[in-house]
Amino acid sequence: MTADKDFTFEPVPSNPPIVEAVPTPAPDFTTSANEDENPSDTAILVGCGLAGWVVGGPFLALLTALGGNWAKKKQGPFGESTRAVGRITAAAHKKARDEKLLHKMKSSVASLFGGKKSRCEHCDCEGQNVNLH
């Protein structure tokens, strides 16, 4: 293997663009701090119950939901983790409501069992043994 030794090191000319920093106003966290700090009881029960259901089934779901409801008022790691789960659940609920996911799910299920019948392209039959062609 032969190396080509015909090379030079030259600095690459660069003129970086001058960027001017524009300060942005500080966000106002005072209005949403109380809502985010103390999630609703429903959010805590649903979040803890769902986590328990995933890990251990219905009995653990009931146990973690009630335990989360008890721990939400406590200081320390149990209370903080319970409130964090509640905040995550509340944020997921808000996002699902904004995206109208329940309506979309209902529409999808209704379209599976709906009364609309497909029309066959090859013959004039409607909705009966269409897949036999």
Side-chain angles (χ1 to χ4, degrees), residues 4 17-19 24-25 31-32 54 75 90-92 94 126 128 133:
D4 186 15
I18 298 174
V19 179
T24 59
T31 57
S32 64
V54 168
Q75 297 297 325
K94 182 180 177 190
E126 289 187 18
Q128 53 196 16
H133 293 288

Side-chain angles (χ1 to χ4, degrees), residues 18-41:
I18 298 174
V19 179
E20 185 176 322
V22 178
T24 59
D28 184 22
F29 293 117
T30 58
T31 57
S32 64
N34 290 336
E35 180 183 318
D36 290 341
E37 185 62 31
N38 296 320
S40 69
D41 293 344

Side-chain angles (χ1 to χ4, degrees), residues 39-88:
S40 69
D41 293 344
T42 306
I44 290 173
L45 288 170
V46 169
C48 292
L50 184 63
W53 186 281
V54 168
V55 172
F59 179 72
L60 193 59
L62 182 64
L63 193 64
T64 55
L66 295 175
N69 194 27
W70 170 79
K72 69 182 177 188
K73 300 172 192 151
K74 305 294 182 191
Q75 297 297 325
F78 289 120
E80 288 296 320
S81 62
T82 300
R83 287 187 292 275
V85 167
R87 284 190 296 269
I88 291 168

Side-chain angles (χ1 to χ4, degrees), residues 61-126:
L62 182 64
L63 193 64
T64 55
L66 295 175
N69 194 27
W70 170 79
K72 69 182 177 188
K73 300 172 192 151
K74 305 294 182 191
Q75 297 297 325
F78 289 120
E80 288 296 320
S81 62
T82 300
R83 287 187 292 275
V85 167
R87 284 190 296 269
I88 291 168
T89 307
H93 175 258
K94 182 180 177 190
K95 183 67 175 174
R97 189 177 59 228
D98 291 345
E99 294 289 327
K100 297 181 177 141
L101 291 181
L102 183 63
H103 175 71
K104 290 178 183 178
M105 184 184 72
K106 286 180 183 178
S107 298
S108 297
V109 171
S111 70
L112 290 174
F113 301 108
K116 293 182 180 179
K117 296 186 178 187
S118 61
R119 183 160 179 85
C120 181
E121 297 174 1
H122 302 290
C123 63
D124 291 332
C125 63
E126 289 187 18

